[in-house]
């Protein structure tokens, strides 16, 4: 398996389906590194370190002693990755496909199968995310106004902003 395909497989295991290889995540999303290495074919600690260090989206983190690993966000299974509530910047961005635009305008941004809606702090990142789904469409999120209205925001260790829902009234189409 290439480094990229191994990283994608780890994303599946650490965010969505740990049972696929017979491991369990603790309540904070941590998996035992030794057990993970035993259960993933052709995975060793050096490769795992390389994936964590080089992943451009910084999807993973080791515990301080490197005995545990977890995905930083994006889970569809209930875990508490110990996010601190923070005041967001005035505007955040959400990149998606043009095909979802009318649904988002009507319903707002929904977390769907994930624990949170993912937001970017810059247009470039949002556009890159949107391209993964088709022709990109960028929404501006009036995040500071939302925060003032009582909505909670968190920032994962890799800089992705998270919230449970963005009502349509806080959205503006970027372009």
């Amino acid at each position: 398996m290439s480094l990229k395909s191994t990283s994608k497989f780890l994303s599946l295991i650490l965010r969505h389906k740990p049972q696929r290889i017979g491991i369990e995540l603790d309540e904070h999303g941590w998996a035992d590194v030794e057990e993970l290495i035993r259960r993933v074919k052709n995975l060793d600690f050096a490769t795992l370190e390389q994936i964590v260090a080089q992943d451009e989206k910084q999807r993973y983190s080791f515990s301080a002693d490197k005995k545990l690993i977890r995905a930083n966000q994006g889970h569809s299974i209930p875990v508490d990755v110990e996010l601190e509530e923070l005041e967001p910047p005035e505007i955040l961005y959400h990149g998606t496909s043009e095909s979802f635009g009318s649904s988002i305008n009507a319903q707002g941004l929904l977390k769907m199968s994930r624990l949170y809606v993912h937001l970017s702090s810059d247009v470039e990142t949002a556009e890159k995310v949107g391209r993964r789904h088709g022709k990109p469409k960028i929404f501006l999120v009036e995040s500071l106004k939302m925060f003032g209205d009582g909505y909670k925001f968190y920032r994962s260790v890799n800089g992705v902003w998270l919230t449970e829902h963005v009502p349509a009234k806080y959205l503006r189409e970027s372009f």
Side-chain angles (χ1 to χ4, degrees), residues 4-166:
K4 185 174 182 177
S5 60
T6 302
S7 180
K8 284 185 175 189
F9 183 69
L10 288 175
S11 181
L12 173 72
I13 297 304
L14 296 175
R15 294 163 81 185
H16 309 294
K17 298 183 178 184
Q19 71 279 5
R20 185 163 177 180
I21 62 167
I23 66 167
E24 290 186 24
L25 306 181
D26 73 11
E27 68 272 15
H28 300 294
W30 294 107
D32 182 89
V33 168
E34 286 183 13
E35 185 173 357
L36 183 67
I37 290 170
R38 274 197 307 273
R39 297 194 182 245
V40 176
K41 188 176 181 178
N42 298 323
L43 182 65
D44 58 29
F45 187 75
T47 302
L48 195 56
E49 274 191 314
Q50 187 177 6
I51 289 169
V52 171
Q54 294 179 2
D55 185 80
E56 69 177 34
K57 295 180 184 176
Q58 299 177 309
R59 287 182 184 99
Y60 316 104
S61 292
F62 281 118
S63 60
D65 62 5
K66 293 192 176 183
K67 292 184 180 199
L68 302 173
I69 187 171
R70 71 176 171 194
N72 290 321
Q73 93 281 323
H75 298 82
S76 61
I77 54 176
V79 295
D80 173 11
V81 291
E82 306 167 290
L83 299 169
E84 179 184 353
E85 185 179 340
L86 294 172
E87 181 177 313
E90 183 177 355
I91 300 291
L92 290 169
Y93 304 90
H94 182 78
T96 189
S97 167
E98 262 189 1
S99 62
F100 298 126
S102 59
S103 172
I104 290 170
N105 280 324
Q107 299 178 46
L109 295 171
L110 307 173
K111 59 186 176 178
M112 306 305 280
S113 63
R114 295 191 177 187
L115 300 179
Y116 298 100
V117 172
H118 294 200
L119 304 170
S120 305
S121 56
D122 61 86
V123 174
E124 296 78 21
T125 302
E127 191 171 343
K128 188 186 287 188
V129 170
R131 272 199 196 100
R132 292 192 325 227
H133 304 286
K135 187 173 180 188
K137 181 169 197 70
I138 309 302
F139 285 90
L140 279 74
V141 177
E142 295 176 330
S143 45
L144 190 57
K145 185 175 183 186
M146 279 182 65
F147 183 76
D149 289 345
Y151 290 86
K152 294 181 180 183
F153 284 83
Y154 310 92
R155 191 174 57 213
S156 69
V157 297
N158 63 348
V160 175
W161 284 90
L162 307 166
T163 192
E164 289 191 17
H165 175 241
V166 179

